[in-house]
């Protein structure tokens, strides 16, 4: 059987799930972010797929399989051919026609449905597939957590109205909660940012983990949880009772960072203004925040409803404002620079900011008096300790791995691709869509992140590749070999999934591999084989016991039943 285990962690594996899945012979990388699933890995993948299938079918979705090869025309119709850069893997066929490898399937499913559904009687429609997706990530890493070819379940709903979409969305929400609970995961559904998808509500299902790339802002007393990218800051900033002083200028010759300037001028960070230059689509924008806050680029993008938001370069900044990043400020900026500020700035009194002159800062700056802004808006990242947006409790942070994402897409694709239906009055209406994704291969890795110990993986019982790992310690001994062979037959005859290690290897090698694999129950045939006695050990707890051969099938059945 192909299970190439390794004693050492692969050099490029930084996190436990990546290390253990490779060392235990579950996966092998063939290119950056591209993996093959070996027999143990494929069996686990199938177990997670089956849980997803059962919950999707229970929710009334029907499985289909779309093509991974997608004609560019569809992406030109939706207008997305050019909004995705090099992340969308593109190729030409033998006739030089343009194709994309499927990164997602909104365009394909919409083109399928618009040609086959014409009447409101056929809605709502809910279909899904489980298929490899291709996204040319700039920095693939962490094994299956961020790959360039990965297994996704993607579902799409077509509804008559937003009310109907709400119902489908809630059904999917429940199905997702069931999937991740059955996978044994500690997860949270968090309010997310719908990004360039347009659409309204969207939730991400996050598995709590220190290696998660996403940060979740959650309330310490209510069930409020949101991706930090979009978590709104809902708080009243107290008006300062200071009297505004005369604006003045101070030399800050060596001071570059916010902290150095604050220390030099003798105030805290929150009495300084931080000005960051962005390019929002083609417009230069200076975002001003309080010195102890961070600009949230996703909020900025949504504020401008922009396609691209990126930091301006130092030379662009120098050309515009005559100085580098160390002394930027909103006072007297040229008109091609638009100034927006976070709401926390509006009522500040007597603060400092860069003078747009190398080595100088203004002091006693009073925003409402000394500079004007296009708008004050919620443009900063929420912070730990801020009040929870739902008004209950205080915000804490946690890191999460996004394993699912449900979207209310609205009519974006149906409008762009003419997916319409005739309503009960015979009037043509635009379909309303939802899309619902689960990262199946990413879920496998997330499970390992939550289920492992220092010796290897400790799978939840019904995710493991096999239920029982049967070891014969000394196959040369006739009585051991015979008992182990008999047990193998008995367990299989009882319908129990058993992996049998009958290799001519030292016991230590077999035990080390067994700990790596993480199969829930291990049955070891050793010295007491002559008495028909074997050892049974639970992988997760380490609890072990001796059993007579005649009790084994019942012991295993009972163990998996409760
Ligand atoms: C692309 C590329 C990357 C992408 C997309 C398109 C993310 C893209 C958002 C979604 C929305 C939902 C159905 C399943 C659930 C998620 N990354 N998204 O559209 F061309 Cl290269 O995929 N799609």
């Amino acid at each position: 059987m192909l299970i190439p285990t390794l004693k050492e962690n692969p050099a490029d594996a930084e996190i436990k799930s990546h290390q253990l899945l490779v060392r235990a012979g579950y996966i092998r990388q063939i290119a950056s972010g591209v993996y093959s699933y070996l027999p143990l890995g494929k069996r686990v993948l199938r177990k997670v797929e089956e849980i997803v299938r059962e919950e999707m079918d229970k929710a009334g979705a029907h499985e289909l399989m779309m093509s991974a090869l997608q004609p560019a025309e569809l992406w030109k119709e939706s207008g997305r051919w050019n909004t995705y850069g090099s992340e969308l893997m593109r190729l030409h066929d033998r006739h030089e026609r343009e194709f994309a490898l499927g990164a997602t399937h909104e365009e394909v499913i919409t083109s399928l449905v618009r040609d086959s559904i014409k009447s409101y009687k056929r809605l709502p429609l809910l279909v899904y597939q489980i298929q490899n997706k291709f996204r040319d990530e700039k920095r693939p890493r962490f094994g299956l957590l961020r790959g360039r070819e990965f297994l996704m379940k993607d579902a799409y709903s077509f509804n008559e109205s937003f009310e109907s979409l709400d119902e489908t969305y809630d059904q999917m929400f429940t199905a997702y909660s069931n999937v991740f609970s059955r996978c044994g995961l500690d997860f949270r559904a968090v309010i997310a940012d719908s990004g360039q998808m347009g659409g309204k509500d969207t939730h991400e299902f996050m598995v709590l983990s220190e290696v998660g790339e996403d940060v979740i802002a959650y309330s310490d007393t209510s069930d409020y949880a949101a991706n930090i990218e979009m978590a709104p800051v809902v708080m009243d900033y107290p008006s300062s009772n200071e009297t505004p002083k005369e604006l003045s200028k101070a030399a800050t010759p060596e001071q570059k960072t916010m902290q150095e300037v604050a220390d030099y001028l003798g105030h805290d960070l929150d009495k300084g203004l931080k000005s960051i230059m962005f390019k929002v689509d083609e417009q230069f924008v200076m975002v001003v925040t309080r010195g102890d806050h961070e600009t949230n680029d996703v909020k900025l993008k949504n504020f401008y409803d922009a396609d691209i938001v990126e930091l301006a370069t130092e030379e662009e900044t120098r050309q515009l404002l005559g100085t580098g990043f160390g002394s930027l400020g909103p006072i007297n900026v040229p008109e091609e620079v638009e100034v927006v500020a976070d709401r926390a700035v509006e009522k500040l009194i007597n603060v400092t900011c860069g003078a747009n002159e190398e080595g100088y800062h203004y002091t006693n700056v009073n925003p409402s008096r000394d500079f004007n802004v296009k708008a004050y808006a919620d443009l900063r990242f929420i912070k730990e300790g801020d009040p929870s947006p739902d008004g209950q409790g205080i915000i804490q942070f946690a890191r999460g791995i996004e394993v699912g994402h449900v979207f209310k897409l609205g009519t974006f694709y149906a409008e762009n691709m003419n997916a319409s239906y005739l309503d009960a009055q015979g009037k043509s209406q635009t379909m309303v869509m939802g899309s619902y994704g689960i990262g199946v291969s990413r879920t496998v890795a997330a499970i390992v992140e939550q289920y492992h110990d220092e010796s290897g993986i400790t799978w939840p019982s019904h995710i493991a590749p096999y239920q029982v790992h049967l070891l014969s310690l000394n196959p040369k001994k006739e009585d051991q070999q015979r008992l182990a062979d008999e047990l193998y037959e008995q367990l299989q005859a009882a319908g129990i999934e058993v992996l049998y290690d009958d290799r001519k290897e030292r016991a230590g090698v077999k035990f080390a591999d067994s700990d790596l694999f993480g199969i829930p129950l291990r049955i070891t045939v050793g010295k007491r084989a002559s008495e028909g006695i074997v050892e049974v050990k639970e992988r997760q707890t380490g609890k072990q016991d001796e059993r007579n051969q005649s009790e084994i099938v019942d012991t295993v059945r009972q163990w998996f039943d409760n």
Side-chain angles (χ1 to χ4, degrees):
M1 196 166 173
L2 178 58
I3 316 179
T5 55
L6 303 174
K7 280 196 176 26
E8 299 305 318
N9 290 329
D12 66 334
E14 302 162 65
I15 60 170
K16 291 310 282 180
S17 57
H18 187 185
Q19 292 164 353
L20 291 173
L21 285 168
V22 172
R23 281 189 53 210
Y26 280 76
I27 62 173
R28 276 297 179 277
Q29 174 177 299
I30 57 167
S32 162
V34 183
Y35 289 86
S36 299
Y37 299 86
L38 307 186
L40 292 187
K42 173 60 183 167
R43 285 180 75 95
V44 169
L45 208 53
R46 186 168 48 221
K47 296 266 174 102
V48 174
E49 276 183 45
E50 276 317 297
I51 289 174
V52 171
R53 259 192 196 93
E54 282 169 18
E55 293 302 329
M56 286 297 109
D57 296 348
K58 222 161 77 179
H62 297 286
E63 186 170 8
L64 48 70
M65 172 63 94
M66 289 178 262
S67 64
L69 273 179
Q70 303 186 5
E73 290 74 10
L74 292 181
W75 285 68
K76 290 175 180 169
E77 271 191 65
S78 71
R80 293 211 297 171
W81 183 252
N82 296 317
T83 54
Y84 281 91
S86 41
E87 196 187 344
L88 181 62
M89 300 190 90
R90 305 162 204 252
L91 68 153
H92 291 90
D93 70 5
R94 62 192 309 163
H95 309 292
E96 286 309 300
R97 287 193 209 104
E98 290 178 301
F99 282 80
L101 286 181
T104 182
H105 282 69
E106 281 83 0
E107 283 79 2
V108 174
I109 193 63
T110 305
S111 71
L112 267 173
V113 167
R114 74 176 169 193
D115 298 340
S116 32
I117 297 281
K118 285 297 162 210
S119 161
Y120 73 99
K121 294 175 187 161
R122 308 285 301 284
L123 300 178
L125 181 76
L126 180 58
V127 291
Y128 73 96
Q129 66 173 353
I130 300 180
Q131 181 197 74
N132 271 3
K133 290 283 184 290
F134 302 85
R135 293 180 184 178
D136 200 356
E137 295 284 345
K138 201 182 288 184
R139 272 182 309 282
R141 61 179 195 154
F142 291 177
L144 300 184
L145 283 190
R146 181 167 289 278
R148 294 194 291 170
E149 178 177 0
F150 54 92
L151 189 61
M152 184 199 273
K153 181 285 301 175
D154 43 323
Y156 304 87
S157 70
F158 294 82
N159 302 77
E160 294 174 71
S161 64
F162 277 94
E163 293 71 32
S164 166
L165 171 61
D166 290 350
E167 287 162 24
T168 305
Y169 188 87
D170 293 348
Q171 284 157 1
M172 280 288 114
F173 200 98
T174 304
Y176 275 48
S177 303
N178 296 344
V179 165
F180 299 122
S181 302
R182 290 178 61 187
C183 289
L185 286 167
D186 178 11
F187 70 94
R188 296 286 183 287
V190 308
I191 303 163
D193 173 65
S194 54
Q196 56 206 45
M197 305 289 301
K200 290 187 359 282
D201 287 352
T202 167
H203 286 81
E204 285 163 342
F205 285 76
M206 294 283 189
V207 167
L208 302 185
S209 159
E210 278 317 303
V211 301
E213 291 187 340
D214 293 275
V215 178
I216 305 161
Y218 68 95
S219 160
D220 61 353
T221 57
S222 73
D223 61 4
Y224 180 87
N227 190 310
I228 192 172
E229 281 184 346
M230 64 69 62
V233 175
V234 176
M235 64 192 284
D236 295 328
Y237 295 100
S239 306
S240 157
N241 50 22
E242 280 183 57
T243 47
K245 289 183 203 148
E246 182 88 13
L247 181 70
S248 65
K249 211 167 167 182
T252 48
E254 313 307 321
Q255 290 64 32
K256 284 287 159 272
T257 68
M258 289 294 302
Q259 192 61 57
E260 286 165 356
V261 169
D263 293 347
Y264 183 74
L265 297 177
H267 60 71
D268 291 336
L269 269 187
D270 61 2
K271 293 287 277 182
L273 297 181
K274 184 189 295 180
S275 307
I276 310 270
M277 283 298 290
F278 285 89
K279 242 185 346 189
V280 178
D281 287 338
E282 289 315 304
Q283 166 71 47
F284 283 107
V285 174
M286 178 185 280
V287 182
V288 183
T289 59
R290 209 173 73 186
D292 57 327
H293 289 157
E294 297 299 326
T295 299
N296 180 327
D297 54 317
V298 175
K299 287 184 181 176
L300 180 64
K301 186 160 171 271
N302 291 340
F303 178 74
Y304 276 91
D305 191 15
D307 273 335
I308 297 177
V309 166
E310 55 200 357
L311 286 170
T313 62
E314 184 121 34
E315 55 268 18
E316 283 167 330
T317 303
R318 212 171 277 289
Q319 270 155 19
L320 284 163
L321 298 162
T323 177
F325 290 156
S327 40
L328 292 184
I331 298 176
N332 301 331
V333 298
E335 73 281 346
E336 63 261 45
V337 174
E338 210 160 79
V339 179
V340 290
D342 178 67
R343 289 186 29 260
V345 169
E346 191 160 15
K347 294 185 201 160
L348 292 177
I349 302 286
N350 301 333
V351 292
T352 64
C353 73
N356 291 326
E357 193 182 335
E358 215 67 49
Y360 284 91
H361 278 73
Y362 284 117
T363 58
N364 300 332
V365 175
N366 288 278
S368 40
R369 179 191 68 190
D370 301 331
F371 60 88
N372 40 43
V373 296
K374 174 180 178 335
Y376 281 102
D378 173 12
L379 293 172
R380 74 174 174 87
F381 279 105
I382 201 166
K383 279 173 79 171
E384 287 198 294
D386 281 348
S388 172
D390 67 354
Q392 299 170 52
I394 296 294
I395 286 295
Q396 307 288 321
F397 285 175
R399 300 197 78 87
I401 300 168
E402 178 192 334
V403 288
H405 201 158
V406 289
F407 285 83
K408 288 180 183 171
L409 292 179
T411 55
F412 175 83
Y413 294 94
E415 258 159 21
N416 291 16
M417 301 179 71
N418 303 318
S420 58
Y421 67 94
L422 293 180
D423 66 13
Q425 288 69 39
K427 195 164 167 298
S428 174
Q429 303 286 358
T430 302
M431 292 184 191
V432 179
M433 290 173 63
S435 72
Y436 318 87
I438 288 180
V440 177
S441 47
R442 182 181 274 187
T443 297
V444 169
I447 292 169
V448 178
E449 285 298 326
Q450 289 195 347
Y451 288 86
H452 68 265
D453 61 19
E454 65 293 334
S455 318
I457 302 170
T458 60
W459 296 109
S461 54
H462 41 287
I463 304 288
Y466 290 90
Q467 294 172 299
V468 166
H469 193 198
L470 174 65
L471 273 60
S472 62
L473 292 193
N474 192 340
K476 292 195 196 70
K477 289 261 188 315
E478 164 58 22
D479 58 349
Q480 287 193 30
Q481 184 63 30
R482 186 164 20 79
L483 176 54
D485 289 350
E486 278 174 16
L487 276 175
Y488 188 44
E489 298 313 319
Q490 278 175 284
L491 288 163
Q492 285 186 305
I496 290 160
E497 299 167 31
V498 47
L499 175 67
Y500 180 19
D501 184 348
D502 62 350
R503 293 174 296 170
K504 305 233 176 324
E505 287 281 355
R506 283 182 299 102
V509 167
K510 297 191 177 187
F511 284 133
D513 280 356
S514 183
D515 287 345
L516 264 181
F517 296 160
I519 292 169
L521 277 187
R522 174 167 75 206
I523 295 175
T524 305
V525 178
K527 292 191 180 50
R528 303 195 62 184
S530 54
E531 307 159 62
I533 302 286
V534 296
E535 184 197 272
V536 182
K537 182 174 184 181
E538 279 182 6
R539 175 64 185 87
Q540 271 200 2
T541 62
K543 212 155 59 69
Q544 59 189 24
D545 219 335
E546 291 197 324
R547 281 284 186 284
N548 192 292
Q549 173 184 10
S550 59
E551 303 165 302
I552 280 300
V553 168
D554 288 344
T555 302
V556 171
R557 278 217 178 102
Q558 274 148 32
W559 194 87
F560 280 94
D561 282 350
N562 58 37

